[in-house]
Amino acid sequence: MPSKNYKVDGLASIIQYSGAGWGKGGTAPDGYIEKYDQGTFVFTCVNGDSATISFTGTDFTLFGASRGNHGTFTVNLDGTIFSPIKLPIPANEDKLGNEWFQKQLWTWHGTQGQHVLNVKNTPAADELAAGHTCFDIDYISWTSDVTSTNDLTIQDTDTNHFSYDNNFSTQIADVSSFDQSSGHVARTNGAAVTLKFKGDRITVYGPTGKSFSGYTATLDSSASQSFNASRPIENDNTGGQVLFAADGLTGNDHSLVLTRNDPRRNQALAIDYAVMDASANGASTSSELSGGAIAGIVVGTIVLLGILGVALWMYLRKRKQKERYNVDLVSADTPFMTQPEPTMVPYPLSLPSSPGVPPPSFEAATSQQGHDRSTSAIFSSNAGSEGGNSSSQPSSHAPLAPGTGQVSLEAQPNPPSYRKGR
């Protein structure tokens, strides 16, 4: 069975923080903030503060830093308490390399199933005395068995999957942190959004920060779970955080309901997008293309039709030119192939009986029969009009000399006997 890796930032609301000491790293000047993943982390320096995460899967890893003021922490997984882990600390906090950040603070490999992990800040007595009392979480990850590794992203505007009650609005002052600049928010207690999906997993994303609220999540007929998107973040509205995640689900059709549950009036429950199994939801999403995808398909189709049209036009133009060239060749060659033998008019042996009447000429005889051809019409490859018919124009040249296929009737002192052309 294939497996999928999940990576969740420390600011995600599915990590439930307990204790008054938790805060977002970097709110005070910190020269090492960029060495954390995404430039964010959550930390506490209060003994006994803890963080809890529920997940389905295996190969769990906790990532964080090991700095000069850090101490010992303890892990409880499914009721089993592991030995306290004392972090090595650098000798000089002023010169920390990358090796002290995004470290694997704790790893575990077990069987596929639902698990609950709790990590607690538990500095030892000597650490308390030395001021080494802090602990931070950069991000966490786990691996879960899935039926397919193909993901399908559903935007908050997809009415085939999302349905909102009347308390939700799309009017958001700062929508830049939302995926595709689109989101739904509600500030009324009890406001609910329902997400319908198929398959063995679902992940819902939205922003977390000071302006966001607590909420409950109810998946199918299971008991509701409580979460809190409110985070002590100076720069509010940290988008793209996990609001809910579940995998290893059985059955096909599922329903997830997120309900705002916070007495504070100005706190908002905000929905950005969801990710689900593409293989299980592909049939119901064939028509759920985004506006950008539809526009891309339309433009691509127009371009393709344009290319085909130009190719067809060039083909027909080339074909027409080829046919015209063939017709021109036939028109030019026709006089040689079909020119009838000129009617031979014998040279008169005696003077005309009627004075003043000129003797008959070849031009007059042939023009009467419709066979006059000029030399330009006979020898030019451009002779002829459309349809292959040669144009008949009076000749502007003198008759050809004997032996060229025509008879010269120029006046001669002693007319010779007629010789047939070669």
Side-chain angles (χ1 to χ4, degrees), residues 90-110:
N92 189 347
E93 175 73 12
D94 295 331
K95 297 181 180 180
L96 297 183
N98 292 332
E99 69 274 11
W100 297 100
F101 299 89
Q102 301 186 42
K103 294 174 61 69
Q104 295 185 9
L105 303 183
W106 186 80
T107 60
W108 170 82
H109 177 76

Side-chain angles (χ1 to χ4, degrees), residues 11-30:
L11 292 172
S13 59
I14 62 171
I15 302 177
Q16 298 298 297
Y17 294 98
S18 176
W22 290 105
K24 177 180 179 294
T27 55
D30 187 346

Side-chain angles (χ1 to χ4, degrees), residues 137-148:
I137 297 176
D138 191 347
Y139 63 96
I140 61 175
S141 71
W142 70 88
T143 301
S144 181
D145 295 337
V146 294
T147 57
S148 169

Side-chain angles (χ1 to χ4, degrees), residues 114 197-201 219-220 247-254:
Q114 294 183 347
F197 67 98
K198 299 177 183 295
D200 63 344
R201 65 181 186 273
L219 178 61
D220 296 333
D247 52 18
L249 304 177
T250 59
N252 193 31
D253 296 312
H254 301 284

Side-chain angles (χ1 to χ4, degrees), residues 23 45 63 107 123-124 190 201 203 250-251 270 275 361:
C45 294
F63 292 86
T107 60
R201 65 181 186 273
T203 307
T250 59
V275 176
S361 64

Side-chain angles (χ1 to χ4, degrees), residues 351-358:
L351 294 175
S353 58
S354 300
V357 178

Side-chain angles (χ1 to χ4, degrees), residues 146-360:
V146 294
T147 57
S148 169
T149 57
N150 297 323
D151 287 338
L152 176 66
T153 300
I154 301 297
Q155 294 299 322
D156 64 293
T157 54
D158 189 334
T159 56
N160 290 321
H161 293 277
F162 281 105
S163 59
Y164 304 86
D165 66 16
N166 294 331
N167 294 305
F168 276 87
S169 170
T170 58
Q171 301 301 315
I172 303 174
D174 180 13
V175 76
S176 61
S177 66
F178 287 79
D179 186 58
Q180 298 191 12
S181 297
S182 173
H184 278 73
V185 297
R187 291 181 172 83
T188 303
N189 217 27
V193 52
T194 301
L195 174 59
K196 301 285 188 180
F197 67 98
K198 299 177 183 295
D200 63 344
R201 65 181 186 273
I202 186 67
T203 307
V204 182
Y205 293 83
T208 61
K210 285 185 175 180
S211 299
F212 299 96
S213 70
Y215 59 94
T216 62
T218 306
L219 178 61
D220 296 333
S221 58
S222 62
S224 296
Q225 304 177 60
S226 295
F227 300 96
N228 193 353
S230 180
R231 291 288 183 265
I233 303 172
E234 295 298 324
N235 297 322
D236 202 8
N237 197 350
T238 303
Q241 301 300 329
V242 178
L243 302 183
F244 180 83
D247 52 18
L249 304 177
T250 59
N252 193 31
D253 296 312
H254 301 284
S255 175
L256 172 66
V257 179
L258 301 182
T259 305
R260 184 188 183 280
N261 183 28
D262 198 312
R264 297 171 296 177
R265 296 180 57 185
N266 294 325
Q267 307 301 111
L269 171 62
I271 306 298
D272 194 346
Y273 63 96
V275 176
M276 58 190 68
D277 180 12
S279 61
N281 293 274
S284 63
T285 58
S286 58
S287 62
E288 297 164 12
L289 297 175
S290 66
I294 294 174
I297 293 174
V298 171
V299 172
T301 302
I302 293 175
V303 171
L304 178 59
L305 291 177
I307 293 174
L308 293 176
V310 171
L312 178 61
W313 176 79
M314 294 180 65
Y315 168 76
L316 294 177
R317 183 171 180 267
K318 185 176 181 181
R319 181 178 178 183
K320 185 174 182 180
Q321 289 177 340
K322 183 177 180 181
E323 292 176 351
R324 180 173 292 179
Y325 175 73
N326 292 337
V327 170
D328 289 344
L329 290 178
V330 172
S331 299
D333 292 343
T334 298
F336 293 99
M337 297 187 296
T338 63
Q339 177 79 10
E341 190 75 18
T343 302
M344 301 304 174
V345 180
Y347 196 84
L349 299 179
S350 62
L351 294 175
S353 58
S354 300
V357 178

